[in-house]
Amino acid sequence: ASFTISLHKADNTTVTIKLKPGLPPSCRIRIKHVIMSELKIKPGENVTFTFTCSTPEKYFITEIQKNIDCVSGPCPFGDVHLYPPRLPRLNRTYTWDVKASTKAGLELKFSTSWLRQIEPGETCPDSVSYNINSCIDKATVNIGTFCRNGSVSRVKLLGGVVMSLHLPWHLPLTTSGFNIANRASIKRLCIIESILKGESSITLMSPNYPLGFPEDELMTWQFVIPPNMRASVFFHNYSLSNCERKEERVEYYIPGSPSNPEVFKLSDSQPANIAGSFNMSLQGCDQDAQNPGILRLLFQVVVQPPQVDENVTHLVDLSKEKNMTVTIHLEGWPSHIPLMSEPVCLICKDPRTCDRVLTLTSGAVYRISFLCKDLSRLRITAEKGIGCMDIRWCQRKIYSLSVPKAITGLPIRLHKFIWKLLATDMINIEITSPSLKLHQHVQEQRCNTSYSYSIVSATPETELNVGVFCPGGSIEKIQMRNNITISLKTFSKGFINESISQDLKMSFVPHIKDECIFTVSPNPKAKVYLQTPNWPYGLPPYVSISWFIIVPSKQTARLGFSRDRMGITCETGRAYVNIKEEMLGAEEIVRREDELLPQPRNMLHNFWVNVSNCRPVDKTQLTLQFWVTSADKQIDLGIILAVVAGAGVLTVIGLAVCCVKKKKKKTQNPMVGVYNTNVNTQMPGRKGLFGKGRQNNESHVYAVIDDAVVYGHLLKEANGSLSPEVDVYRPFDGPIGSLPPSPPPFSFRKDIKHSSNTEEEPLPLTDTDQDTYTFAHQKSGQLEDNGDANKKDKGDTSVPLLENKERDGLVE
């Protein structure tokens, strides 16, 4: 098919048909017998041509440029038509280059299909786009690129303008969609008018975006807002230039405001909840010639109806809090940035200061309100710092780790509350939950409460994730070294009710030996699972963790491990598991990383479990889990029968001895003692009762001694008055250790032979007159047995277990 293009000379229009950039000349233009790749038709020419292929739209584009001179003659104001008609169906670009005096202004007014500004590189859905450039003298400023179906209704410019319309080849558009009008000088670079109808949102950019706004220039955006709506301005991306004079700023003219114009820095929170139309202007400055920098701005205007509870304010009293911040934000903040097309939720700390994120600091009282249809989209994140630099000032102080009522009283769900606990190297931190106790979240027993605590112990070099805990468990206390971060995270709305009973406390304590010590009091008939910190990534090298398990006197506990080995290989040092009951003479169980872990065993007293790590080889990590159950003690029927049987045997023996003694007394002649009148027969007593000393009297001399007296230790009267003196067991009332078992050293230890125990000397017996008396005693063998038992039971548990083991000669 052939095409004919005829241009009138007075139209001052040029048509150029050329190949798309980067395509090979697979299709050409033919004029009679001439083949060419580009055709340019000037004003007054009439050209007929054809293409050498059937799909020229794949290879060619058309550029139509019309020059309009408004300086030397009158301008053809009014609707702008697409001329010339009947062009080939190619992608085409219409350009109107209008030259005008800087003393006059030009206005581009768009039809009902208003425009929407897009960022550079973005394309329009229907491939129809407008590009507006302002020409002042020889300088050209890109006002922006726009698509159809937006809110920009007019653009007023100072001086000339270059307007371009890009149309796809398949769209049979016959009108340009705008007209040109003459206006008085606007005394600024440009004015962009935007009419927003109903609930909507628009995004606009400064001229030349993302390049710099012209130096010391001024431009204005005019926003027409329905009277029953509210508008808010948000700056999403901006940068500042280096000013030598003046200051870059944003000015607002808001009808009814007592301080028009209202001046803001670009870094300020911009006005929100504006009722009615308003103007916003961007003012540049005189830039540094050596380092000018860039002034640019991308912002959003959101229009929404006033909320029902717009005038409802919520009191947030942080006046008594210290080192605390409260941030109200959208769900997913800060990782998730809401799309500008999403409905806006605003938090306002006064009627005109609103934003999507609001941060409140301690020491003040706030009255906040919300411009948001759905408050369930909002969340609260709070952070509080507690520090101790001198243990003398904070050792006895107990801090409550509970969420303040100023936060729980808001109609916003708490997302996270973070406590940052800071202390020096020799001060450690103790966390307690006296009534609720803590439950460690493990695979076998997950937390099912509305909130949980994540505890992390950190130093500048390492970080130890102690674990995740929730209320309603068996852990009474956790002692930790280093700085601690506790994060309370909620999972449901039920936290508001459950938070009433929060009882987590914190205090600063002196230095502890282990990295972490847990105090656990298992609930009766419950199976408690406990696991090493940093699960499942493993304990850091050379870290020691201890658990102190409380076993009530009328209960027994059972301890077991979830697997039979530690599952690591040490590169340097040794990894150990130590188990020690807190009782006199208790055996300490020690297992290395190359040994089997103990089988499940019963524990009758409070006991310690210690896990000490080595430096594992690559790809192996120490992760250990164990369980504890608790139940009432059961009296063994066999023991009861044995006790009864033993009592019966003793009764039979006693009766037999009595019968023999009586029979013997009947058969033998009675023994008569000879009375000596020269002897003092009074019982030895206090000094002064004897007229003379023991050396000078004969009170200890008996003429006859009855057999019953000689064997008095075998017969005991019912009242016990003739019982001989025997060694008596005395309960140990010395100090009992409260420290966990000391882990063995990581270096190899030599075996030490058992040392023999020396017999403990009996305590000397004294009397007031310092006389010496002789008493009957039990056999030496019995004394040795009792003495050894006492020595064994009276071991000093305050001595570290390592010293005990070396002293007692434990062999690894």
Side-chain angles (χ1 to χ4, degrees), residues 469-530:
F469 305 86
C470 56
S474 302
I475 301 174
E476 293 184 349
K477 180 170 60 178
I478 306 176
Q479 292 176 306
M480 292 166 286
R481 295 164 58 182
N482 310 319
N483 295 330
I484 306 297
T485 299
I486 302 177
S487 300
L488 183 153
K489 188 175 182 180
T490 65
F491 304 101
S492 67
K493 297 179 180 179
F495 169 75
I496 298 176
N497 296 326
E498 292 188 11
S499 65
I500 299 174
S501 59
Q502 290 181 91
D503 74 334
L504 198 65
K505 312 289 183 184
M506 187 278 299
S507 59
F508 294 99
V509 296
H511 185 72
I512 62 173
K513 178 186 64 174
D514 291 325
E515 194 75 25
C516 186
I517 299 176
F518 298 85
T519 300
V520 184
S521 179
N523 294 326
K525 300 180 181 179
K527 193 171 188 178
V528 179
Y529 285 89
L530 300 166

XYZ file of all heavy atoms in Angstrom, residues 469-530:
489
model
N 11.264 -18.290 75.529
C 10.561 -18.723 76.729
C 9.176 -18.088 76.775
O 8.963 -17.005 76.230
C 11.354 -18.337 77.985
C 12.763 -18.850 77.994
C 13.777 -18.122 77.386
C 13.067 -20.053 78.584
C 15.088 -18.589 77.391
C 14.368 -20.532 78.593
C 15.376 -19.802 77.992
N 8.265 -18.779 77.443
C 6.919 -18.245 77.639
C 6.489 -18.557 79.070
O 7.082 -19.420 79.730
C 5.941 -18.837 76.620
S 5.872 -20.638 76.618
N 5.482 -17.886 79.580
C 5.044 -18.139 80.958
C 4.372 -19.498 81.098
O 3.863 -20.066 80.130
C 4.060 -16.995 81.222
C 3.569 -16.585 79.874
C 4.718 -16.792 78.936
N 4.388 -20.004 82.355
C 3.697 -21.261 82.635
C 4.592 -22.468 82.549
O 4.185 -23.495 81.997
N 5.821 -22.390 83.092
C 6.744 -23.514 83.015
C 7.346 -23.840 84.359
O 6.680 -23.747 85.397
N 8.624 -24.224 84.363
C 9.296 -24.666 85.575
C 10.576 -23.892 85.866
O 11.216 -24.144 86.884
C 9.642 -26.160 85.460
O 8.476 -26.928 85.245
N 10.983 -22.976 85.013
C 12.235 -22.240 85.195
C 11.959 -21.030 86.075
O 11.226 -20.118 85.694
C 12.824 -21.808 83.846
C 13.103 -23.032 82.966
C 14.103 -21.011 84.048
C 13.556 -22.701 81.566
N 12.545 -21.038 87.269
C 12.331 -19.947 88.214
C 13.294 -18.793 88.020
O 12.957 -17.637 88.255
C 12.467 -20.469 89.647
C 11.384 -21.443 90.064
C 11.534 -21.850 91.520
O 12.588 -21.530 92.113
O 10.618 -22.478 92.065
N 14.499 -19.114 87.555
C 15.528 -18.084 87.529
C 16.540 -18.387 86.435
O 16.852 -19.560 86.181
C 16.212 -18.019 88.902
C 17.297 -16.992 89.041
C 17.729 -16.847 90.503
C 18.255 -18.128 91.089
N 18.707 -17.968 92.476
N 17.044 -17.333 85.780
C 18.118 -17.453 84.795
C 19.161 -16.394 85.133
O 18.838 -15.209 85.195
C 17.617 -17.259 83.351
C 16.458 -18.201 83.028
C 18.753 -17.487 82.355
C 15.849 -17.987 81.658
N 20.389 -16.831 85.348
C 21.493 -15.908 85.582
C 22.398 -15.924 84.361
O 22.765 -16.999 83.859
C 22.273 -16.319 86.827
C 21.479 -16.156 88.117
C 22.254 -16.666 89.314
O 22.700 -17.804 89.322
N 22.404 -15.832 90.317
N 22.771 -14.744 83.891
C 23.536 -14.632 82.648
C 24.635 -13.601 82.784
O 24.495 -12.609 83.504
C 22.610 -14.239 81.485
C 21.612 -15.315 81.103
S 20.306 -14.658 80.046
C 19.368 -13.738 81.243
N 25.686 -13.826 82.059
C 26.756 -12.852 81.956
C 26.515 -11.968 80.738
O 25.643 -12.207 79.928
C 28.097 -13.565 81.834
C 28.473 -14.357 83.085
C 29.563 -15.352 82.826
N 30.775 -14.714 82.309
C 31.883 -15.385 81.965
N 31.908 -16.688 82.074
N 32.932 -14.756 81.506
N 27.323 -10.893 80.645
C 27.318 -9.991 79.484
C 26.030 -9.165 79.428
O 25.167 -9.241 80.302
C 27.506 -10.783 78.177
C 28.694 -11.724 78.246
O 29.736 -11.358 78.778
N 28.535 -12.923 77.736
N 25.906 -8.400 78.351
C 24.712 -7.589 78.125
C 23.592 -8.467 77.589
O 23.833 -9.376 76.790
C 25.024 -6.459 77.152
C 26.025 -5.477 77.720
O 26.082 -5.272 78.927
N 26.830 -4.872 76.861
N 22.377 -8.168 78.004
C 21.239 -9.021 77.686
C 20.179 -8.212 76.944
O 19.909 -7.055 77.284
C 20.622 -9.628 78.961
C 21.697 -10.352 79.784
C 19.477 -10.567 78.624
C 22.330 -11.515 79.087
N 19.585 -8.831 75.930
C 18.432 -8.261 75.239
C 17.262 -9.227 75.383
O 17.355 -10.390 74.985
C 18.733 -8.020 73.744
O 19.812 -7.094 73.621
C 17.513 -7.462 73.036
N 16.179 -8.731 75.967
C 14.966 -9.540 76.132
C 13.883 -8.925 75.252
O 13.549 -7.748 75.406
C 14.509 -9.572 77.597
C 15.623 -10.128 78.488
C 13.246 -10.397 77.746
C 15.282 -10.121 79.954
N 13.342 -9.715 74.353
C 12.318 -9.227 73.420
C 11.013 -9.959 73.688
O 10.928 -11.186 73.517
C 12.756 -9.450 71.968
O 13.964 -8.762 71.703
N 10.024 -9.209 74.138
C 8.679 -9.772 74.297
C 7.946 -9.603 72.975
O 7.810 -8.489 72.474
C 7.937 -9.066 75.422
C 6.534 -9.568 75.776
C 6.227 -9.257 77.227
C 5.449 -8.951 74.901
N 7.490 -10.710 72.405
C 6.780 -10.670 71.127
C 5.393 -11.268 71.307
O 5.242 -12.325 71.929
C 7.544 -11.439 70.051
C 6.964 -11.294 68.656
C 7.841 -11.967 67.622
C 7.269 -11.773 66.227
N 8.098 -12.422 65.186
N 4.387 -10.587 70.775
C 3.006 -11.058 70.917
C 2.569 -11.777 69.650
O 3.084 -11.536 68.558
C 2.054 -9.893 71.194
O 2.037 -9.015 70.052
C 2.503 -9.107 72.413
N 1.583 -12.682 69.817
C 1.088 -13.472 68.693
C -0.414 -13.361 68.489
O -0.934 -13.811 67.480
C 1.455 -14.950 68.901
C 2.918 -15.180 69.094
C 3.444 -15.382 70.353
C 3.788 -15.161 68.013
C 4.791 -15.589 70.546
C 5.143 -15.363 68.188
C 5.648 -15.576 69.451
N -1.112 -12.767 69.429
C -2.564 -12.671 69.283
C -3.064 -11.526 70.149
O -2.335 -10.944 70.947
C -3.239 -13.985 69.698
O -3.082 -14.199 71.088
N -4.344 -11.221 69.988
C -4.956 -10.155 70.774
C -5.092 -10.529 72.241
O -5.309 -9.653 73.078
C -6.344 -9.825 70.194
C -6.304 -9.287 68.769
C -7.712 -9.014 68.257
C -7.695 -8.483 66.827
N -9.061 -8.247 66.317
N -4.968 -11.821 72.568
C -5.124 -12.251 73.946
C -4.057 -11.728 74.877
O -4.178 -11.860 76.094
N -3.014 -11.116 74.321
C -1.953 -10.584 75.185
C -2.492 -9.527 76.133
O -2.010 -9.391 77.262
C -0.833 -10.001 74.326
C 0.168 -9.208 75.127
C 1.094 -9.860 75.919
C 0.167 -7.827 75.097
C 2.007 -9.140 76.665
C 1.071 -7.104 75.839
C 2.005 -7.762 76.626
N -3.488 -8.760 75.702
C -4.015 -7.689 76.559
C -4.509 -8.263 77.873
O -4.293 -7.692 78.949
C -5.140 -6.930 75.823
C -4.576 -6.262 74.553
C -5.774 -5.896 76.732
C -5.621 -5.580 73.723
N -5.163 -9.428 77.827
C -5.657 -10.045 79.057
C -4.545 -10.774 79.799
O -4.446 -10.693 81.026
C -6.791 -11.025 78.725
C -7.992 -10.311 78.127
O -8.300 -9.182 78.490
N -8.675 -10.968 77.202
N -3.688 -11.476 79.073
C -2.632 -12.243 79.729
C -1.554 -11.347 80.314
O -0.838 -11.745 81.233
C -2.017 -13.235 78.737
C -2.948 -14.342 78.317
C -2.241 -15.399 77.489
O -0.999 -15.364 77.417
O -2.932 -16.252 76.899
N -1.405 -10.144 79.773
C -0.336 -9.260 80.237
C -0.584 -8.761 81.656
O 0.338 -8.274 82.314
C -0.209 -8.061 79.297
O -1.384 -7.255 79.338
N -1.808 -8.888 82.151
C -2.125 -8.398 83.494
C -1.301 -9.143 84.546
O -0.897 -8.571 85.555
C -3.639 -8.552 83.766
C -4.432 -7.715 82.752
C -3.982 -8.145 85.183
C -5.928 -7.905 82.850
N -1.036 -10.421 84.308
C -0.343 -11.238 85.309
C 1.158 -11.335 85.070
O 1.809 -12.218 85.625
C -0.949 -12.651 85.320
O -0.819 -13.247 84.029
N 1.734 -10.471 84.252
C 3.174 -10.524 84.003
C 3.947 -10.387 85.312
O 3.633 -9.524 86.135
C 3.600 -9.383 83.071
C 3.121 -9.538 81.639
C 3.606 -8.376 80.795
O 4.658 -8.422 80.206
N 2.821 -7.312 80.764
N 4.951 -11.236 85.504
C 5.734 -11.143 86.740
C 7.229 -11.277 86.489
O 7.980 -11.624 87.405
C 5.265 -12.205 87.740
C 5.723 -13.605 87.348
O 5.948 -13.836 86.139
O 5.867 -14.465 88.227
N 7.679 -11.031 85.290
C 9.099 -11.145 84.990
C 9.858 -10.013 85.694
O 9.505 -8.840 85.560
C 9.336 -11.079 83.483
C 10.689 -11.617 83.002
C 10.781 -13.107 83.263
C 10.884 -11.338 81.524
N 10.892 -10.403 86.458
C 11.696 -9.441 87.202
C 13.148 -9.559 86.760
O 13.579 -10.581 86.235
C 11.602 -9.689 88.712
C 10.184 -9.866 89.254
C 9.395 -8.579 89.251
C 8.022 -8.785 89.875
N 7.187 -7.569 89.797
N 13.908 -8.501 87.032
C 15.322 -8.489 86.688
C 16.103 -7.789 87.780
O 15.626 -6.815 88.375
C 15.522 -7.776 85.350
C 16.947 -7.842 84.801
S 18.095 -6.638 85.480
C 17.337 -5.120 84.992
N 17.295 -8.273 88.055
C 18.180 -7.627 89.015
C 19.619 -7.857 88.582
O 19.915 -8.770 87.806
C 17.935 -8.169 90.426
O 18.148 -9.569 90.464
N 20.496 -7.016 89.087
C 21.925 -7.143 88.808
C 22.581 -7.887 89.973
O 22.321 -7.599 91.145
C 22.557 -5.764 88.628
C 22.057 -5.030 87.424
C 21.075 -4.059 87.540
C 22.542 -5.315 86.159
C 20.605 -3.371 86.435
C 22.076 -4.646 85.046
C 21.104 -3.670 85.180
N 23.431 -8.859 89.656
C 24.059 -9.709 90.664
C 25.560 -9.733 90.417
O 26.025 -9.387 89.328
C 23.484 -11.145 90.612
C 22.014 -11.147 90.967
C 23.697 -11.763 89.224
N 26.338 -10.158 91.422
C 27.789 -10.253 91.218
C 28.146 -11.283 90.147
O 27.307 -12.050 89.688
C 28.304 -10.666 92.608
C 27.236 -10.244 93.556
C 25.949 -10.396 92.811
N 29.413 -11.316 89.838
C 29.918 -12.143 88.738
C 29.646 -13.624 88.983
O 29.782 -14.124 90.098
C 31.419 -11.907 88.585
C 32.017 -12.619 87.414
N 31.795 -12.225 86.108
C 32.839 -13.688 87.351
C 32.455 -13.031 85.296
N 33.095 -13.919 86.025
N 29.238 -14.352 87.956
C 29.035 -15.794 88.021
C 30.062 -16.481 87.132
O 30.610 -15.884 86.209
C 27.605 -16.199 87.603
C 27.336 -15.793 86.142
C 26.582 -15.613 88.533
C 26.008 -16.297 85.611
N 30.302 -17.756 87.436
C 31.352 -18.495 86.734
C 30.904 -18.917 85.342
O 31.648 -18.785 84.368
C 31.732 -19.721 87.562
C 32.785 -20.607 86.907
C 32.992 -21.863 87.731
C 31.745 -22.721 87.771
N 31.948 -24.015 88.447
N 29.696 -19.435 85.233
C 29.218 -19.949 83.944
C 28.664 -18.832 83.076
O 28.362 -17.737 83.551
C 28.128 -21.004 84.182
C 28.690 -22.265 84.811
O 29.835 -22.619 84.487
O 27.990 -22.881 85.631
N 28.517 -19.176 81.815
C 27.900 -18.228 80.898
C 26.432 -18.036 81.234
O 25.885 -16.948 81.072
C 28.047 -18.743 79.448
C 27.747 -17.718 78.379
C 28.875 -16.715 78.236
O 30.024 -17.035 78.579
O 28.592 -15.590 77.781
N 25.805 -19.101 81.706
C 24.374 -19.037 82.006
C 24.037 -20.124 83.023
O 24.550 -21.251 82.920
C 23.574 -19.226 80.711
S 21.821 -19.005 80.890
N 23.204 -19.790 84.008
C 22.764 -20.755 85.017
C 21.236 -20.689 85.100
O 20.659 -19.624 85.322
C 23.377 -20.458 86.395
C 24.905 -20.533 86.338
C 22.849 -21.445 87.434
C 25.587 -20.167 87.646
N 20.582 -21.841 84.933
C 19.129 -21.948 85.047
C 18.783 -22.597 86.380
O 19.419 -23.584 86.782
C 18.545 -22.811 83.923
C 18.765 -22.265 82.541
C 19.943 -22.514 81.849
C 17.789 -21.516 81.908
C 20.144 -22.030 80.578
C 17.980 -21.023 80.634
C 19.158 -21.277 79.977
N 17.786 -22.073 87.051
C 17.229 -22.717 88.242
C 15.837 -23.236 87.884
O 14.963 -22.454 87.494
C 17.137 -21.728 89.417
O 18.458 -21.257 89.726
C 16.540 -22.406 90.631
N 15.662 -24.551 88.008
C 14.448 -25.205 87.516
C 13.778 -25.939 88.663
O 14.432 -26.677 89.409
C 14.773 -26.190 86.370
C 13.494 -26.784 85.796
C 15.579 -25.501 85.281
N 12.473 -25.743 88.796
C 11.671 -26.457 89.783
C 10.550 -27.183 89.040
O 9.481 -26.606 88.789
C 11.099 -25.478 90.814
O 10.298 -26.158 91.753
N 10.775 -28.436 88.645
C 9.782 -29.135 87.812
C 8.442 -29.286 88.517
O 8.379 -29.544 89.723
C 10.440 -30.500 87.553
C 11.890 -30.298 87.852
C 11.950 -29.259 88.915
N 7.404 -29.107 87.765
C 6.065 -29.348 88.299
C 5.854 -30.845 88.493
O 6.310 -31.659 87.682
C 5.002 -28.794 87.340
C 5.063 -27.291 87.251
O 5.377 -26.613 88.216
N 4.771 -26.756 86.071
N 5.163 -31.231 89.568
C 4.934 -32.669 89.797
C 4.207 -33.304 88.611
O 3.302 -32.721 88.029
C 4.072 -32.689 91.065
C 4.356 -31.371 91.743
C 4.613 -30.398 90.648
N 4.641 -34.492 88.271
C 4.030 -35.315 87.218
C 4.089 -34.654 85.840
O 3.330 -35.015 84.949
C 2.579 -35.644 87.571
C 2.425 -36.407 88.878
C 0.967 -36.711 89.184
C 0.819 -37.441 90.493
N -0.609 -37.740 90.828
N 5.007 -33.682 85.671
C 5.169 -33.040 84.361
C 6.561 -33.357 83.841
O 7.524 -33.465 84.603
C 4.985 -31.531 84.467
N 6.677 -33.497 82.529
C 7.960 -33.766 81.893
C 8.497 -32.454 81.337
O 7.884 -31.850 80.467
C 7.795 -34.798 80.783
C 9.123 -35.366 80.278
C 8.876 -36.539 79.339
C 10.181 -37.232 78.981
N 9.970 -38.414 78.105
N 9.628 -32.025 81.878
C 10.220 -30.745 81.498
C 11.383 -31.006 80.552
O 12.304 -31.760 80.883
C 10.704 -29.969 82.737
C 11.334 -28.652 82.325
C 9.545 -29.747 83.696
N 11.352 -30.388 79.356
C 12.445 -30.493 78.396
C 13.301 -29.237 78.490
O 12.793 -28.107 78.519
C 11.910 -30.641 76.974
C 11.349 -32.006 76.668
C 10.012 -32.297 76.909
C 12.154 -33.014 76.145
C 9.481 -33.554 76.642
C 11.637 -34.274 75.869
C 10.307 -34.536 76.112
O 9.805 -35.781 75.830
N 14.608 -29.416 78.530
C 15.557 -28.313 78.580
C 16.639 -28.553 77.534
O 17.039 -29.705 77.307
C 16.190 -28.193 79.966
C 15.208 -27.943 81.122
C 15.889 -28.192 82.454
C 14.650 -26.529 81.057
